[in-house]
Amino acid sequence: MLSAIPVLAVLGYAAQTAASKASYRYASVADNYKGQYGEVIQRDVCVIGGGASGVHAAVSLKDKGKTVVVVERLNRLGGNTLTYVDSITGIPIDIGVVVFQPLPAVLRFFDKFKVPLANTSTLTANVPGQPANLSVPAPLYQTIQTYTDLRDGSGVNITRDDLSIGPALAGLAAVMAKYSYILDGFQTLPHPVPEDLVMPFGDFMTKHNLTAAIPIVFQVGQGLGSLLQLPTLYVIKYFNLGDVAALREGYLTQAQGNNSLLYVRAASYLGPSNILFESTVISANRRRTPSNRAELLVSARDGGVRLLSCAQILLTIPPTLSNLAGWDLTPDEHAVFSQLTGATGYWTGLVRGVGLNQTVAHQNAAATTPFQLPVLPALYQVAAVGVLEDVWWVKLGADTATLPDEQVRARAVREMQRVQAAQGVPVTEPEWLMFDSHAPFMLHAGAEVIRGGFYKRLAGLQGGLGGRMFYSGAAFHTHYSGYLWRYNEDVVIPMMTRKS
């Protein structure tokens, strides 16, 4: 057990004599404590994080003949891809990742595991005000849209010009095309960084006369918090050219509304011996080991400890200092990661027993805010899923990732109850069917830090420590959709497979 291992050994250091205590040398935990672990796992690549990016990387590496192991803190793969399945009807509802951009990498990955996809533009949904079409996934349920200030349940008169939205989106796409290189990672940013990309997104949209598109970007870009204040590069990395095209031509989703099926089959393909569920890295020794391999101590769900011996490591989890506690960060890594001082929050779930009219959705809005966007933290809307009786979405965003889950749930219920009271229906305490935190959602640095070359320094970390450590785009830019796989597939995978 870990408690029996001396602290210095856990940190990967060997103690020196009293005369040389100011210096240290790295030592192999395996060499010093042979027999202390139930299992030593040796792999070509250790993938830290089993979300979309980590799973795609692990599968791609296995396909290339590499041995892999995935370390995942949850009891499943897929990260923010989460599906509720009703125990009576068997109807699935995706509450995390709902749609994907129609990119080749997405199509190939789903096809590999024989998971059928459907284009949302080809599916026949219900007419707003009518019951849901049970043959199509729940997110396609169409409702009558109203605008409500969820701070008090009052109606909001929206003054948007719908006819200008299309031209504004086309104009936004034209401007974004100038910076399309950011889709392959912020490390490609030129220096100096174009001022368009570091200015607040609200100022960017005003500068280019595109403000009519802001409500659409806000609705699609759930999880970005108060996006008007975010540096533009983060917003157009998330809501990008692929989204503009998909709004016109359709997104992809699993044909039966169960995106989690992809990860169930990927887990089977990787095999149980190559996935450590409910596990986290508790210490790392990536520098000088007798085997010239990186070593990770991992807490396992059986309460024990596993030792991983890795030729290379791929980190796909958010690189916050708290997530990397116990890692042997270099001074450069610590300096770079500590500048990711911002993070938005996003939480999703389902509740039953709201009792409102299920054919009407209450979009959160505010009468006197810029572009009438809601004041966060708050629900994005109060809306029924349609395919199950009196079951409602919970999607709540915040500018901070630190709200406790209990506080988020309580806030969501209060806002639903305000709508109940305003609509004259009984005020209830809804039953939670599922709840999931996606925080931290979007890690970000400040404008001055970006101008100062932050992402150039980040790029310098890639492949560091003698080619042992690589960072997935998902670790820094949480958008659990297909284009992060493109980053993994075209950039990370070749870098990692060029060495044995």
Side-chain angles (χ1 to χ4, degrees), residues 203-495:
D203 294 348
F204 167 84
M205 296 294 275
T206 300
K207 171 186 172 181
H208 294 284
N209 195 28
L210 302 171
T211 55
I214 285 177
I216 298 298
V217 177
F218 181 83
Q219 182 179 354
V220 175
Q222 291 183 10
L224 294 183
S226 301
L227 56 78
L228 297 181
Q229 286 76 51
L230 267 182
T232 294
L233 65 90
Y234 294 109
V235 181
I236 66 173
K237 169 75 167 175
Y238 188 110
F239 181 93
N240 55 65
L241 289 167
D243 290 291
V244 176
L247 286 170
R248 180 178 63 252
E249 300 166 7
Y251 287 92
L252 300 177
T253 192
Q254 204 279 321
Q256 286 75 47
N258 184 356
N259 285 323
S260 295
L261 180 60
L262 175 70
Y263 296 101
V264 171
R265 295 185 179 175
S268 178
Y269 177 76
L270 291 171
S273 63
N274 296 318
I275 307 171
L276 297 179
F277 287 117
E278 297 181 62
S279 300
T280 56
V281 175
I282 54 178
S283 70
N285 176 13
R286 299 173 296 155
R287 289 177 172 85
R288 295 185 294 275
T289 63
S291 64
N292 200 33
R293 297 169 63 90
E295 294 175 344
L296 303 175
L297 280 183
V298 176
S299 63
R301 64 178 168 186
D302 62 4
V305 177
R306 303 291 185 270
L307 176 64
L308 309 188
S309 175
C310 319
Q312 294 172 317
I313 299 168
L314 175 63
L315 187 79
T316 73
I317 63 174
T320 61
L321 294 182
S322 59
N323 275 350
L324 297 174
W327 285 75
D328 54 339
L329 296 182
T330 67
D332 285 343
E333 286 174 329
H334 191 280
V336 169
F337 298 153
S338 64
Q339 289 185 299
L340 287 164
T341 55
T344 62
Y346 189 48
W347 297 263
T348 69
L350 294 173
V351 296
R352 172 180 282 136
V354 176
L356 291 165
N357 183 343
Q358 296 176 78
T359 68
V360 177
H362 298 266
Q363 300 290 333
N364 199 357
T368 59
T369 61
F371 311 106
Q372 297 178 292
L373 299 182
V375 178
L376 301 180
L379 290 172
Y380 286 97
Q381 62 179 357
V382 175
V385 302
V387 297
L388 293 174
E389 182 65 23
D390 202 15
V391 174
W392 301 73
W393 304 105
V394 174
K395 300 177 181 181
L396 188 143
D399 294 325
T400 175
T402 60
L403 293 180
D405 288 352
E406 283 303 319
Q407 188 178 121
V408 171
R409 285 193 287 264
R411 179 179 290 273
V413 168
R414 285 199 305 271
E415 292 181 357
M416 292 180 213
Q417 290 173 338
R418 289 171 189 147
V419 178
Q420 289 173 324
Q423 296 295 309
V425 303
V427 175
T428 64
E429 185 70 28
E431 170 196 0
W432 285 94
L433 301 179
M434 183 171 278
F435 178 84
D436 194 43
S437 172
H438 295 190
F441 191 75
M442 174 67 79
L443 295 181
H444 53 272
E448 288 307 313
V449 171
I450 298 168
R451 289 189 184 98
F454 171 78
Y455 285 106
K456 290 296 181 184
R457 293 195 296 278
L458 174 59
L461 299 179
Q462 192 74 275
L465 294 168
R468 293 197 183 102
M469 190 72 171
F470 296 86
Y471 304 91
S472 161
F476 302 94
H477 326 299
T478 302
H479 180 233
Y480 294 88
S481 188
Y483 78 82
L484 279 183
W485 296 346
R486 179 173 64 183
Y487 177 75
N488 236 336
E489 185 172 74
D490 295 344
V491 181
V492 172
I493 299 304
M495 290 178 70

Side-chain angles (χ1 to χ4, degrees), residues 78-96:
N80 288 350
T81 302
L82 186 61
T83 307
Y84 172 80
V85 180
D86 182 59
S87 60
I88 297 175
T89 65
I91 293 175
I93 300 173
D94 286 317
I95 71 162

Side-chain angles (χ1 to χ4, degrees), residues 114-147:
K114 302 297 185 285
V115 177
L117 286 167
N119 188 298
T120 57
S121 67
T122 67
L123 299 175
T124 303
N126 63 297
V127 175
Q130 297 299 314
N133 179 354
L134 298 184
S135 66
V136 300
L140 273 74
Y141 175 52
Q142 298 188 95
T143 55
I144 299 168
Q145 302 294 303
T146 62
Y147 294 92

Side-chain angles (χ1 to χ4, degrees), residues 175-198:
V175 178
M176 289 194 297
K178 296 165 51 180
Y179 309 113
S180 59
Y181 49 79
I182 68 172
L183 293 181
D184 290 321
F186 292 157
Q187 297 90 322
T188 60
L189 283 173
H191 191 74
V193 179
E195 190 59 26
D196 263 0
L197 298 182
V198 291

